[in-house]
Amino acid sequence: MNTDLKALELLFQRPLEPVFTTRDNGKTVFDLPESVYTDRYRNNTEEVSNRFSQNVETRIPVRELAKKPNLEFAAKLGHKKQFSLFINSHKEIASKLIQLFLDAPNLQQFVALAAYTKDRVNPVLFQYCYAVTIAHRPDTRTVPIPNISQVFPSNFIEPSVFQDARQEASVIAKSGNRSALEIPANYTASDREDEQRLAYFREDIGVNSHHWHWHLVYPASGPMEVVNKDRRGELFYYMHHQLLARYNVERFCNNLKRTIPLSNLRDEIPEGYFPKILSSINNRTYPARISNQLLRDVDRPDGNIEISELERWRDRVLAAIDQGFVENSQGTRIPLDEVKGIDILGNIIEASNTLSVNNQFYGNLHNQGHTIISFAHDPDARHLEDFGVMGDVTTAMRDPIFYRWHGFIDSVFNKHKALLPVYDNAQLGFDGVSVTYVEARLGAANARPNTLLTYWQKSSANLAAGLDFGPVEDENITATFRHLQNAPFTYTFNVTNAGARRTGTCRIFICPKVDERNQPLRLEEQRLMAIEMDKFTVELMPGENTIRRESTDSSVAIPFERSFRAVGANYQPKAADELARFRFCGCGWPQHLLLPKGKPEGMQFDLFVMISDYTNDSVQQLSNTPNDACSTAFSFCGLKDKLYPDRRTMGFPFDRRLPNDTLNEFVGAFSNMAKTDITIKFNDRVVG
C-alpha cells in the first residue's frame, strides 16, 4: 500500500476533526511530527497521540515539512466563517492556497503540507482547495475525490436527521443492526407555495453535487494551469444553459410557466426561500429570504458591491455583443465570432481573473449577482448573518432564484447567439446519409415503443464519513431519501449510407412540444429548451445500418452510484477496470434525472436524432493517451487533460437560429436528421 496516497484519501474524511483523530472507521491514524499540531494541542501532543492511537490497525507516518508555509493570507477567512467561490476575497485566498499545494515538490511533502494546513485554515476552504489540487497534480490523479454530500452532508440534508443519526450510532453498537434514517421529502415549504412542486429537482443531492463538482473541475480563479482549460468559458455557458433548459421543462411537467429571468435587480423578488439546512462550519442554518424581498447594495467587512456596478457591467457586456467585439485592457478589439465568441463571453461573464480579456472593464457580473442575492437578508452585516444558499456552489441550485438569475445570464449569451449567421445547408447536412427510423423503448418484453417511464425511488446514502465527532468505528450510518428515477431504455436508429464506409457523430436531443397551457411551442422556443441526451461516434457501413444505444451510456450523465458513492476503501471496487471508473472526476449530470418527470397521463416530446459528418466534428488531441474514466460525461465536463472532443459549438445544432419555422420542416429538409414523438409517463409510486 502506498501510504502517501492513502493519507491523501483519508484527509477528505471527517473534515471538522483535528488531523490527529482516527480515520477509516477508527482503523487508521497519522503519525505526526510535533510541528503539525496547532498551538491549541502543542502542549498535549503525547496525550492526544496516545488517546487516538489505541486499537488502530495502521499508522501512517507524515514527514516533517522542509519549510513551514506562511498562512497569514488565509487568516482573513475565520475558521467558522462561510466560504464562497462568489466572493472576490475568498477566491483570492483559495487561489493562493491551491498554488501553495501545487508547488509542493513531491508527494511526501504534499501530504505533510496538507496535514499541516488542514487545522490552520477554514475547513471548507481547505476541502475545496485540497480537492482542486488532487484533481490537478500529476502525482495524485489516482486519489478518488469523494462526493461533497459525503464530506459535508449537512449542506444537503434536513438537520434533524443528524440528531437521529448520532442517537442511533450511540445506542446501537453494530451498524448492521441499525434502522435506516429517513430524510424527509418536501420539507422546505408546503404545497401553498407553487415553487415547491420543483423541490424534487432543486433540492436533489445529485444535482447539487454535480454543480459543486463542475466548479471544482473548472474553477474560475487559481493558477493558470488549473484555470486555463480548453473552451472553459463555453462550457460555463453550455452547462448552465442545459441546467436551465432542464429546469424549464420540469416546470412544464408540473404545470408551471417558464422561469422569468431576473433582468431587473431593483424589482422585488416574489420568490422566498427557507432552506432549513445547516452550515457544517458554524452549525447555523443558512439564512432565509422572505417573499417580495428587495435587493440592496452589499456593504460588509469581506466586500462591497453596488447594484449600479452590476448594471454597468451588464450594459458594457451587452454593448460589446451589439458591436460584435470586446476590448482588452490595451484597447485591442477582439471579435465575438461564431467560433471563439461564446468562449470569450463565458470567461468575461463568470469573471475568470486569469482568462477574462478585461476584468476591470467588464467586471464580475455572474459572481457578484450571486453575492448580492445571497446577502439580501443582511446586506450590511448588522445582524451578523452569513450568506444564504445562493452564496455556496453546493447549495445555490436549491433556491428558485438561482434559475431566475441564470435565466438572465443565459439571455445575455443567447443575445450573442442570435446575432450569429443562421446555420446553412453545408453545416447541417451530411450528403448520402439518411436516418430512416428512430425509436426509444424500455427493456421490458411487452414495452410499447416511444413510451418512457419515470417514478420515485428510495435510495440510501452513508453519512458516516462526514459525521464529525461521531462514533469512530462506524462504517455505516445510513439515511434513505426519495428521488426521481427513470426506467432504462434503448435507442434504435436505422441509418442508410449511400457512400463508402465513413464516421458520423450521433446527436440526440429531446424537445418539449407544448408549454404549461398545452399550447404548441415555436421552433425558436423548442431550440432554447432542447435537452441534450447523448452524443457518440458511429461507424457507418455502406447500405443499411442499425444503431443501438443504451440510455445508461449517455455522454451527459454519470451513474447513480457515482452521485451517491460511499467513502472509504471498503466501498471501492477491487478489479482494475472498475476501480478506474470509480475514480471518476465526479463531474456529470445525475443519471436518475436524465429524463424529465413527464406527467401521469403522459407528456409528449420530440425525440430528435442527427448524424453529422465526423470530418467536421473531429478534434486532433495533443496526446494519444486513452481517455480516462472522466470521458463518460464529456458533454458537460469535457475530457480530463484533453481538448473538448467535438469541434462543433456546444449544443449544435440547437445553439443558433435555424433556417426553418417548425421542427418538422427542419428535419424534413435534411436526410441526416429524423424525429419521432415520445411520451414520458410519470408513475407516482415509490420503488425500493
Side-chain angles (χ1 to χ4, degrees), residues 158 177 551 658:
E158 199 271 333
N177 297 329
S551 63
L658 298 169

Side-chain angles (χ1 to χ4, degrees), residues 499-550:
R501 176 177 176 173
R502 47 187 158 171
T503 305
T505 303
C506 184
R507 303 170 187 273
I508 307 174
F509 292 81
I510 59 171
C511 305
K513 294 174 73 73
V514 296
D515 65 12
E516 80 285 356
R517 296 178 298 121
N518 213 34
Q519 297 300 303
L521 294 169
R522 296 177 288 110
L523 176 58
E524 180 66 9
E525 294 174 304
Q526 286 188 290
R527 179 183 76 78
L528 291 172
M529 286 185 283
I531 294 173
E532 182 175 342
M533 298 293 287
D534 205 350
K535 178 167 56 181
F536 54 95
T537 56
V538 290
E539 291 298 321
L540 299 175
M541 308 303 291
E544 292 292 326
N545 295 262
T546 298
I547 300 168
R548 290 186 175 86
R549 175 82 164 181
E550 300 301 320

Side-chain angles (χ1 to χ4, degrees), residues 470-509:
V472 296
E473 310 83 14
D474 287 303
E475 297 182 4
N476 201 8
I477 300 175
T478 302
T480 64
F481 55 97
R482 191 192 76 171
H483 60 87
L484 191 67
Q485 182 60 282
N486 56 85
F489 56 94
T490 304
Y491 301 105
T492 302
F493 313 132
N494 290 344
V495 182
T496 302
N497 175 17
R501 176 177 176 173
R502 47 187 158 171
T503 305
T505 303
C506 184
R507 303 170 187 273
I508 307 174
F509 292 81

Side-chain angles (χ1 to χ4, degrees), residues 564-580:
F564 302 106
R565 68 190 185 196
V567 178
N570 291 350
Y571 299 97
Q572 294 186 18
K574 300 298 186 286
D577 58 337
E578 293 180 9
L579 187 61

Side-chain angles (χ1 to χ4, degrees), residues 176-294:
N177 297 329
R178 294 182 189 137
S179 300
L181 308 168
E182 185 159 353
I183 301 169
N186 294 329
Y187 60 84
T188 48
S190 71
D191 59 6
R192 296 179 67 178
E193 173 55 67
D194 287 343
E195 294 297 327
Q196 193 64 11
R197 298 182 206 172
L198 272 295
Y200 69 89
F201 181 94
R202 290 185 286 100
E203 296 170 1
D204 182 84
I205 296 174
V207 163
N208 285 276
S209 298
H210 158 72
H211 189 234
W212 171 81
H213 211 120
W214 190 92
H215 283 278
L216 182 81
V217 175
Y218 290 97
S221 61
M224 184 62 80
E225 64 266 34
V226 169
V227 176
N228 189 19
K229 292 178 179 160
D230 184 47
R231 296 169 70 176
R232 187 214 168 280
E234 185 179 5
L235 265 170
F236 171 78
Y237 146 72
Y238 187 60
M239 191 277 287
H240 288 91
H241 172 79
Q242 281 290 297
L243 286 183
L244 194 66
R246 287 178 171 274
Y247 182 70
N248 278 322
V249 170
E250 293 289 344
R251 294 181 71 85
F252 289 168
C253 295
N254 290 278
N255 302 312
L256 294 173
K257 64 182 179 181
R258 276 163 282 190
T259 192
I260 300 170
L262 187 64
S263 53
N264 187 347
L265 293 173
R266 299 185 186 273
D267 281 348
E268 287 184 343
I269 298 175
E271 301 90 352
Y273 187 62
F274 292 72
K276 301 179 182 65
I277 52 173
L278 291 176
S279 159
S280 300
I281 292 295
N282 53 28
N283 218 34
R284 294 180 181 177
T285 58
Y286 279 84
R289 185 186 61 257
I290 61 171
S291 300
N292 302 314
Q293 175 79 61
L294 271 173

Side-chain angles (χ1 to χ4, degrees), residues 49 58 82 104 132 143 173 262 266 341 356 429 453 525 566 621 626-627:
S49 176
T58 306
Q82 290 275 58
V132 169
V143 177
L262 187 64
R266 299 185 186 273
S356 174
L453 178 67
E525 294 174 304
Q621 296 291 349
N627 297 337

